[in-house]
Each structure stands twice: as structure tokens, then as C-alpha cells.
Amino acid sequence: MTEALRPKTLEEALALRAAHPEATVLAGGTDLMVGVNFGRAEPACLLDLSRLGELTAWARDDNCISVGAGVTFSRISAELDDLTALAEAASTVGSPQIRNRATLGGNIVTASPAGDGIAALAAYDASIVVARHARADRRIPWDEFFLGPKQTALADDELVVAAEWEPVDGPGTFAKVGPRSAMVIAVASICVQLDEQAHDVRIALGSVGPTVLRATRAEQLVTQLDWNDLDERALQEAGALAAADVQPIDDLRGTAAYRRRAVEVLVRRALAWTLAARGKVAA
Amino acid sequence: MIVHLTVDGTTHIVDVDPLRSLATLLRDELGVIAVKNGCEQGECGSCTVWLDDELVCSCLVPAVQADGASVRTAASLANGGLDTVQEAFLDAGAVQCGYCIPGFVVTVADLLERDPHPSEHAVRDALSGNVCRCTGYRKIFAATRLAEARRP
Amino acid sequence: MNAVTGRPGRVGESARRIDGAPKTTGEYVYGGDLSAPWMLWGGTLRSPHAAARIRSIDTSEAVGAPGVHAVLTAADVPGRPTFGLEIADQPVLASDEVRYEGEAVALVAADRPERARAALRLIRVEYELLEPLVDMELALDPAARPLHAFGNVLRHVHIARGDLDAAAADVWVSGFYETGMQDQAPLGPEGGLAVPASDGGVDLYVATQWLHVDRQQIAPCLGLPEELVRVTLAGVGGAFGSREDVSVQIHACLLALRTGRPVKMSYGREESFHGHVHRHPSRTWIRYGATRDGKLVAADVRLLLDGGAYASSSPAVLANASTFAAGPYEVPNVRIEGTVVYTNNPPCGAMRGFGAPQVCFAYEAAMDELAEALRLSPLELRLRNVVGHGSALPTGQVLTGSAPVREVIERCRAIPLPPREPPLGRDPLDYPGGAGRANRGEHIRRGVGFAVGFKNVAYSEGFDDAAEATVILSDAPNGPIAAVRTAAVDYGQGLYTVLAQIVRTELGVEDVIVHPATTESGSAGSTSASRQTTMTGGAVLEACRAVRAELAARGGDLTGGPISCTREFHHRPTDQLDAEGQGDIHVSFAFTAQRAVVDVDTELGLVRVVQIAAAQDIGHTINPLGAEGQVEGGTAMGIGYALMEEIQVEAGLIRNPSFTDYLVPTALDVPPIVVDFVEEPEPGAPYGVKGIGELSTVVAAPAIVAALRHATGRTLTRLPVRPDDLLGLRPDSTAHPRAPVPDVPGQQPVPEYAGLELGQQELMKGHE
Ligand SMILES: Cc1cc2nc3c(=O)[nH]c(=O)nc-3n(C[C@H](O)[C@H](O)[C@H](O)COP(=O)(O)OP(=O)(O)OC[C@H]3O[C@@H](n4cnc5c(N)ncnc54)[C@H](O)[C@@H]3O)c2cc1C
């Protein structure tokens, strides 16, 4: 029988984590239980984080937005709906039942290239806050945290406690494509965030590489544009640059060729949507 | 581990593996068949229940997280007779094989409790996590509206 | 089991489901919900390989594992080692060879489900891998490794009428069409409970489609006479053909008899994908010739179905597909060559539509091409050629029943189109791609497509699938009540409600009880082939009339005791196909037309089905709400077939045996469906009814793909259509080589060739 560790505080959890590096961490269970139910995961020891009040809070001020690892996607879309990019991503995760359980932390640690929450974090240039017993927290920039499919920089004795980023002033959006109208794992996804003050844009792409990626060359191109004088051709070029830079594969859910095409279109569209939304919304 | 939980008002104490899914715990240990197993991975919604008043797929809830919780199934809605949602499903012709229906009934009841007059968008979003293979959903949408109209 | 009582309306009214209330509360007991005191849990060890020889099986470790009560292999099967619906070619447990991934190799019974699973992992099977034969055309090669002693051609159907070579056509069109392997994906996975009986027999409670054909396959394998195998229907969580073949039945009985304890077997979703047959993948080459004024003069069709590793109902599916392959059109000169082969792919068999959907996709696409070549509207071309009462089909069969095909088409056309929507400002869910919000008004093209289709009702080719039913009228304190005893299965389509409506109408009673279906009643035949309202409905109607006559003879007085009458309903006799594929082989036909409206995101290949307009020939409506529900549900399954549903098989292995990767339509994928019924009574059927269940699944996908072609201008020759296809990123399957020559090796249907028993024919003999 599996042993269950059920800490009530973060401190307790970190101590248990340090003592049981072999334990499997459990948050909302929506990823873990699929493996368990199909006999692919048989953890001998379980560390259940669901009773930790510390992880289920979010906080924001002028300098920092912090969302606890235990905050569910339902809560994100209800309580943080002005963070358009993240809230839109959150509202496309699975179904209502899934979103009621699925946490941002679980999404982060699962580290799927298709993780919808991760795409938003990449667009925010977020850091993942990682805690370890009796040590100071580590803040790992998202692009150093995600190393490959299901691979992260998280050590065996660490827990993810939150994701943090600097507030960005400008519109953001999220979109994903898949073969049906609801409940899809992204065949390709995009999250775009404009930064009005820095005249900067971040374009994150999901399911088109080993991790969520940023379309750096496309971003640079758009940064150089005059946003008040939209040029359709420049957007097309941005799409083409992004499509050239991704590393999609053929798998059960879609082909590499389709994913590349989708990136081209999604980049163009998402840029157009966010550029058009300027002045109308703040995110 | 020893798990204490209340199911539709009845308290149970069971000794199960902490990773046993709530769905199989309910079905195989407690004989609660108002929870159906359709996919074991949260894709079909047949095992939808309220876990402490929150709508979840019970197949993805490990027993350890049901400890101390209150679970409500479609069976809890019928007190003596059927409730408004259940009646509406029958009147609208929304039931065929019925395997998905306990899950749908819970989902629709949850929606109408939170949002007594949901927009079209809200209804579609709410029903997106329950799969029905028989009806093509049209009569389930109709049942939802019928239940909305009849609710006290 | 689930006895159901209710107060439904009469024939013609939208009665509430007689078995509905317990389904909404969760009290209704499905196959997988069963339990009994002292019950053990059964589990099945399945082959991980598509083709392998079994060198050895070592069960010693499993036998000694905690909680294990029995471990069985082929050597433990006391009776006939094989079973099958039409041909007993499938081992109960594989002994020397496995022919598909998922084939059952060993069984375990243990006191707890997880212990059963653990014990399965302790069984050591040594396999010697063989090169799997997975391409249906390669299976036709005489040099291919024969998967069965009698070769790889399971059945070949040759239909010739008129003189194809002499046909004077002005215009020819030809095409090659492919369809993928669809799964019925009923929401309730397979499940049942076998209870050993003190008389040495066994009582089986199971979710199935035909109790008697199950029993007829179970008993010989157990080495028991049929009387000692009693089968009772458990609640059925949908079927759609997947429960025509046995799944847990024989295995659970074997374990129960071996252990002397009740044994429950219930599959999970993954095992369900491996544990039942699927819709045959198909390849169809079709050529139509027509005169300049749009009259068809020739149809030349070559059709290949992948039957997978075992026969299941493939021979009958092929007969259907072949006889429908030229469409519901009058064509004087026809040649159809249909073949179904064995491969190492998962076995295929019955699924809603039963051979009709595959060919409808091909012939309707070809008709659209022809319309374009002739510069006629697709509907006009169809109206000039559709069959009607008195027309002859390619088999020479003359339509003697109702065939209001023109009216069906006109009524479909008359359904108002959905309103045009503004490109901007819609509900986000009303754009292609839905909840993903990847389209917010960009590059949407609307397309409209039609398809016409047809299908037979009841079993064909000389088979007398009679149905027996008993109606009992008795006195009760609040007035007379009636009860129905039948072995017919209601798996959700609403038969029991219909039977109650018939009884209420005929006997004027309010309360009707439909007793649990068991083999204690005579066979009602299968709940498939859109046949039960006709067949069991017919038996109940006749039994009611007999009860009424008896009541009249008693002067309307029930005090002398209940009146019970049993009747058997037979459809009109049919023939076998002759060597030229001629014969009056089908009982009757029903027709339908659908119009699909789609929005396509032409940049992302995303699709939103906007509306389906359906007109269907149903003879007479017994329950309007129930009938609509059948059309809507069948259409949803067709939407899945068109756009997303496919079991992806690579080298014989299923890559997506889960609901994460085998996608079925959600509530957001099914648009408003406007249904109109054409009622022209079918002679010889109760109230003039026709079957309803399958037709919408036959035409929905062809109509949707026609609309997609209209929207995108692409050829789209393969089902399901993927986003890649809509963007031209995948090579068209028209690039495929020419049709293999029609003269295939081993043309003889296997049953004759190998002298095997014909499962269902055996059952029939009991009726003579
Ligand atoms: C039907 C269905 C649909 C889905 N749809 C989507 C979708 O559309 N988009 C999407 O992105 N995902 C989707 N998912 C995947 C899943 O729901 C998300 O990834 C979710 O965010 C996981 O969170 P959780 O809390 O449930 O994680 P859990 O399953 O509890 O944990 C996931 C992993 O993270 C580890 N972990 C969790 N929290 C921590 C922590 N604080 N510190 C260290 N390790 C931790 C666990 O050990 C485990 O390895 C879907 C899943 C299902 C079943």
C-alpha cells in the first residue's frame, strides 16, 4: 500500500520532502491519477500538498504578481480575469471538472510542451519559485526551469511554491488549436503579451517543441514596428519567422507540418488581436 | 489508509490505498453505482460528483484527498421523488442508455445552483466536460433550459 | 435486474422513457455495476503483439499469488476452443498463436480487482514474434502469409447486372475513397457477472445485444447444453454494435464454473478498445457513367474491407456494403466486387450502419463529382436518379415496400438554412475551433453539402431472425395491468418504451411492466440492423391482439385469471445472393437525406458544423421525441466519423486506446439538428414502421465532407478529415494505386470453403 504524507503547513511539507525525496508529490491529481489509473505510475510514497494554505493564495502589487502553486485554473479564471493571457489560458484547460482540481503548480511540474498555463508564464517572463527545507527559496526563470518534455530543474527535495512575474501593462491573449471544439490538448497554442511601456512583445508557443518556446525573432521584428500603423505584411513576416524557428514533431495528435502552419497563422492572428486591443484593456 | 467520508449523507470509514480513485472507492468498495466509470481519465464526466460542493471527476480524486470530505452524487438529488433537473431530463427526452446521465444531472444541477439563468455560452461551457454517446446532446441542452425554467 | 414500469403515452406520442427515472438517479444497474456476495473479480491477459506464436505460458507464479482463485489458459476450456458470431474462428483463449494486439491469452479470478490485475502481471508468456500482416491489399496477395488455415479472403461478393462494358455513358467520373477504423465507444464499458448454479450450469448477467446468440456461443465452449446457460440482460451503457460479439461472457462463465463463486468482469476504457470489434476501415474505387442529361447508366465499384484478425460479422457487413455500393440510384449496368480480408489488425464487425457508411461516403462523393461534371446541382442529379417504389437495385431486388426517396430529399431541401452570422462579435464558441479561441472571425468559409443514403432493416440473405414476445394481461386493484416478457435488448434506443406504447394502445391499459430480458423467453433476435421496433414491436402487437381476442372470448372478464399470449414475428423471407450477386436479399429499406452547413477556418483547417438538416423515411412514428433522439445521436456519431474519430493502428498496434486520444464529439461539437420525418407506412411492418437508428450515421459524414469540399474546394477522399487535409498538407489518397483486379484469390466465402459452422444460422434452425 502506498504511504501517504499529509503535511498541513509548507514548513512541514518541505521537511517531509527533504526526508522523502522518493515521494511523489500530489496536488490536484489530474495528471498524476491518469497514470495511476492506467497502471503506469505506482508511487510507494505520496506527499499530498492539498492541505497547504500557503500554496493556494495569490498576491499582487505594483512590482510583482505571485500565484501560488496550489491555485486552481477555475480560481485563476474567476479571480484573476484581468490577467487576460493567463485567464484565457486557464479557461481552456480541460473542462470545468478538470479546472476545479488542476493547479498551476501541477501544470508547471508536469512540464508538458502543451501545458496551457506554462505558455502564459512564458509570455509573462515568469520565474518559478522553488522552496527547499531550511534553505532560501530559488527563483528560476521559466526558460531555465523547463528543460524538456516532463523535465524540469526541480530537485528531488524541492517543491514548487509559486510562479511570479512583474506586472505587464498591455493586452494579452491565449489561443490553442485541436481537432474538436472543447477538451483538447493543444496541437499548437499561443500566448501573446504586449508590454506598452517597454514597447515589447512576448510570443510563447506551445506543443511545437520539447518545451514551451518563445518566438524570439518574431518578437524582435514586432518590437521594431510602429504599433500605431499596423502593417499586415509585417505580421505575416513575424508569423513566418516564428514558424521557421519552432521544432514541431509528428505525433498522434497532429503532424509537424500542420503545427508549423498553425504557428504561422496563430502568431499573425494573436498579434493582430492584441495590437487591436491596445488602449481598450490593461493586463 | 483509513479514510472517513460522507457519501450522500451516509458516513463511511474504509481502509484503502491512498491512491485509489474516489470513483472506484465509491463503486467497488461502497457500492455507490450512481458514479459511473467511463474512461478513468477525466475525459468523459460520467463519474462527476460534488466533492465538498465542488464539481469534480471522481476518477481523478485520490482517496487520500477524499478523507474528511463530503461527496454528493446524482442519487442525493432525488428525495422521495425526482428533482427538477432529473424530471427535466426525462421530459426533454435527454436520456437514452443513461450511462452518462448521473454525471450530467450533477453538472447541470451545479450550473443552475451557481447561475440560475445561465447564458448560452455558460451552458455550453458547463456541459463541455461530460460526454454523451447516444443523444447528440441537443436534448440535454433542452433539458437544461427546461430545468432552468421550472426551478422554484 | 432492471424491471421497468411506467405510464408512457400511446403510439404516436412522445412518451417518457419507461426506464428513465432510475437512470437519472443512478440506481439503474449496468453490467459493470453488478455485484454478488462472495464475488471474485476476473481479469484477462491480452497479447501485446499483433502477430506471434506462443512458445509457452507459465502461470505458476500467478497461481500462488495472494487472493488468486484461478488462472486459466486455453487448456482449461472444457468445450469448443473457439467462438464467433458467424464463423467460430476465434479462440476463447489463444493457445498457439495470437493474431491481434489484445487477443485474450489467459484469465485470472481473484478476491479483489487489484489482486486480479497484479496476478495477470505474474503470468509469463513467451512469444515468438511474427511479421504482422496489416495492409488489406497485401492480404490479398496469394503469397501473403495465411492468417487462418483457409487463407486471408474472408468473403468475396460479386454483383453483376446489365452490361458494364456496353454502357453508353457520355461522362465518366471515378474516385478512390478511404475510411478509417471507428470505434463505437459506448460510454459503459463491457461488464457482466457469472454465477455458478447448483445444477452445474451458470447464470450470466451481462450487457449485450442478443442474449440467445451469446448463449449459443457460450454453451459449446463451456461444454454445457444450452439449457444450463441462462443469460439475463444487465443495464446496457450503449452498444452501437460493439456488443454483438461476446466479450466477457465466456470468460466470466469459465471462471465462475472453475471457482464455484460468482465472478464479475468489467473492462476499463483501454481494455474496452481491445475487447470489442470496430468499424471496418475501407478502400473503395468507384466509377459512375452517366448520359449528358444526367441519367446514370453505369456503376463500377471495387470495395475492400479490413476485417482484422477474426471473422465476427464481417461476411454480413460485406454483403451490406457491397449491395449498397452503387447508392440508392437506378443504374442499369453495374459491377460491384467486394472483398473482406483477414489481417493482424483489431477485428472489425458490427457498428451502427453496418457497412453502409463506408460506401455512402464513396458513392455520394462520386455523385457530387458527377454533378459537377454535368453542371447539375447535386440535388438535381440525385432527383433524376434515385430509386423509388418498383425500382430495381444492382442485386435485381425490386423495391416492393415504401421508398419515398424523392420526398425525403425535397423535405430535407425545404428545411430553412441557418441564418448567416456576422463575422465579428459572435460567442467565441461559435467560431471554428470553439473553446480554443483560435478563430475570432478570420478566414471563415461557409460550405453546404448534401448526402442521400439508405440501409436495410433486419437481417438479410435468407436469415429468419424472428422475434418472440409474451404479453400478459392481469387484474390489479386499480384496474388491469399488462406485462411484456421478451428477450429483446433495449440498450438505450428506447425499445421498451415503444413496446409499452404499443401495449397501451392495443390493450387500453395504463400500467405496463417490461420484465427483465432473459433467455427464459424465446429469442428476440439482435438489437441491431434497425430491426427491433419492427420485429419485437411486431411480436408484441400480435400478442396484444391475441390477448384482446381472448379477452373478448371471455366476455371482457379477467377474474378467471391473467391472459398470457406469446407470439413470434417473422419478416418476409429473403434469398441468398446467387453467383452473379442477384437475389432478393434484404427485407426492406429506409432512406434519408441530410444537409450539412459548416464553417471552415481555411487557414487553420478548423471546422464548426453549423447545422444539420435531416429528413428521414421512418414509416410511422411511434415516439416522436425518441425518434428525434435517434437521429440526433446518430448524427453526432457521424460528426465524429467525419472529423475526429479514428482508431489509429500502426503495425497492428492501437496507438490511441483512450478517450484522451480517441476523441468523440463533445457538446460543443454537435450543432442544432433539424429533423423532419417522412411517414409512408411500410407494408408488413407493425403500424408501418421502419428502423430509425442507423441511417443518420450513414449520411452525416458524407454530408459534412461534401460541405467541407464546398467550402474549401479540396477533394477530401479520406475519413476522418483532418485539419491537414483541409489545408492540403497531406497527400490526397487519390494518389493511391489503381484498384486491385477484381478477381481475387480464394473467392469462395470461407464458411463454405472451410466447412465451419455458421453461428447465427445454427440458432435459426431452432426456429424452423
Ligand atoms: C481530461 C483532462 C484534460 C486536461 N486538459 C488540459 C489542458 O487543456 N491543458 C493543460 O495544460 N493541461 C490539461 N490537463 C493536464 C492537467 O490537468 C494539468 O497539467 C494540471 O494543471 C495538473 O495539475 P494538478 O494539480 O492536477 O497536478 P497533479 O496531477 O497533482 O501533479 C502533476 C505533477 O506535478 C507534480 N507536482 C504538483 N504540484 C507540485 C508542486 N507544488 N511541487 C512539486 N511538484 C508538484 C506532481 O508530482 C506530478 O508529477 C488535462 C488533464 C485531464 C485529465
Side-chain angles (χ1 to χ4, degrees), chain A residues 155-178:
Chain A
D156 278 352
D157 58 353
E158 291 176 323
L159 293 175
V160 169
V161 292
E164 279 185 2
W165 61 95
E166 274 177 43
V168 201
D169 181 21
T173 196
F174 176 89
K176 71 179 178 188
V177 291

Side-chain angles (χ1 to χ4, degrees), chain B residues 84-139:
Chain B
T84 317
V85 175
Q86 290 164 326
E87 290 281 358
F89 268 70
L90 293 179
D91 285 333
V95 180
Q96 288 190 28
C97 92
Y99 202 81
C100 67
I101 295 299
F104 262 110
V105 162
V106 171
T107 297
V108 170
D110 181 75
L111 167 71
L112 296 177
E113 270 166 32
R114 286 183 292 105
D115 185 358
H117 298 291
S119 66
E120 193 54 32
H121 180 88
V123 172
R124 289 203 256 170
D125 181 56
L127 298 191
S128 64
N130 292 74
V131 166
C132 172
R133 194 59 168 156
C134 296
T135 65
Y137 305 101
R138 302 315 306 179
K139 302 210 181 306

Side-chain angles (χ1 to χ4, degrees), chain B residues 5-83:
Chain B
L5 79 169
T6 308
V7 184
D8 296 337
T10 307
T11 305
H12 299 270
I13 302 172
V14 276
D15 186 6
V16 288
D17 190 286
L19 273 177
R20 187 71 178 275
S21 80
L22 175 59
T24 60
L25 164 61
L26 290 169
R27 288 175 54 78
D28 300 344
E29 304 293 328
L30 305 179
V32 179
I33 62 167
V35 171
K36 302 301 179 193
N37 68 314
C39 74
E40 304 102 47
Q41 54 184 166
E43 291 278 352
C44 78
S46 307
C47 65
T48 300
V49 297
W50 282 287
L51 180 70
D52 288 335
D53 298 327
E54 195 165 62
L55 200 70
V56 303
C57 287
S58 57
C59 70
L60 297 181
V61 176
V64 61
Q65 292 184 343
D67 187 25
S70 161
V71 176
R72 281 190 298 137
T73 72
S76 73
L77 292 169
N79 290 312
L82 302 182
D83 93 328

Side-chain angles (χ1 to χ4, degrees), chain A residues 24-34 49 55 69 73 92-94 98 101-107 109-110 114-117 154 158-161 176 183-185, chain B residues 41-43 60:
Chain A
T24 296
V25 174
L26 169 68
T30 59
D31 273 319
L32 188 63
M33 287 303 287
V34 173
L49 303 185
L55 299 193
F73 285 115
T92 73
V93 171
I98 299 300
R101 300 288 295 171
T103 64
L104 183 63
N107 202 245
V109 179
T110 293
D116 294 330
L154 191 72
E158 291 176 323
L159 293 175
V160 169
V161 292
K176 71 179 178 188
M183 292 271 279
V184 287
I185 298 170
Chain B
Q41 54 184 166
E43 291 278 352
L60 297 181

Side-chain angles (χ1 to χ4, degrees), chain C residues 211-233:
Chain C
L211 301 173
H212 287 77
V213 86
D214 279 5
R215 175 166 78 171
Q216 183 230 326
Q217 293 171 89
I218 299 165
C221 298
L222 303 180
L224 290 176
E226 282 193 8
E227 319 77 82
L228 289 185
V229 178
R230 292 159 294 254
V231 188
T232 300
L233 184 67

Side-chain angles (χ1 to χ4, degrees), chain A residues 119 122-123 125 142 189-193 200-206 208 211-223 235 237-247 263-264 266-268 271:
Chain A
D125 258 335
W142 75 273
S189 64
I190 187 163
C191 192
V192 166
Q193 177 64 47
D200 191 10
V201 61
R202 292 90 167 262
I203 305 170
L205 299 167
V208 288
T211 63
V212 168
L213 307 171
R214 284 270 294 270
T216 328
R217 286 201 297 159
E219 290 176 358
Q220 281 160 3
L221 177 83
V222 179
T223 305
L235 297 187
E237 203 181 321
L241 280 176
D245 288 351
V246 294
Q247 307 144 38
V263 164
E264 190 182 331
L266 288 173
V267 165
R268 174 159 37 84
L271 285 171

Side-chain angles (χ1 to χ4, degrees), chain C residues 155-158 301-304 318 322 336-340:
Chain C
R155 186 176 183 185
H156 180 79
V157 168
H158 162 80
V301 191
R302 172 88 182 89
L303 159 77
L304 194 53
L318 178 74
S322 303
I336 296 161
E337 302 287 349
T339 313
V340 58

